[in-house]
Amino acid sequence: MAKARVKDQATVGVAEHGNSAELITVAIGGEFLDRRRIDLTHGLPTHPYHHEGSWAVGRYVNSPWARKISLPDAVALVKRVHEAEPPAC
């Protein structure tokens, strides 16, 4: 009689939250196995055009909570974010 090989099976769901992703792992029968958050940006901003760029020249430049940043620094930051390698999972 041949022996059947049974592999453990699970499903992973992912929800992205700007600079992180939440991973939930559930067994086929519905048993909760794992939950973890993974950083996707490694400290870089998630929306440099809208946040840091706006603080330099955009609509938030005069907001009391805005961080002062020069236009050249904002451009360099956007370039750094754009060129960043995706994180290894």
Side-chain angles (χ1 to χ4, degrees):
M1 176 178 231
K3 293 184 179 181
R5 184 176 223 180
V6 178
K7 293 184 178 181
D8 294 331
Q9 296 182 4
T11 300
V12 177
V14 179
E16 184 262 334
H17 299 284
N19 66 341
S20 66
E22 194 81 22
L23 283 74
I24 307 287
T25 307
V26 180
I28 293 299
E31 175 190 359
F32 171 78
L33 298 175
D34 185 54
R35 178 180 185 157
R36 65 184 68 196
R37 182 171 288 224
I38 297 174
D39 179 19
L40 300 175
T41 59
H42 299 289
L44 291 172
T46 58
H47 302 88
Y49 289 98
H50 302 293
H51 295 163
E52 286 79 357
S54 291
W55 293 336
V57 296
R59 69 181 189 190
Y60 300 120
V61 71
N62 294 319
S63 298
W65 47 265
R67 294 189 324 220
K68 301 297 181 196
I69 185 171
S70 70
L71 181 56
D73 288 343
V75 170
L77 177 62
V78 169
K79 183 177 179 182
R80 206 167 77 236
V81 171
H82 179 74
E83 292 174 350
E85 290 185 25
C89 293

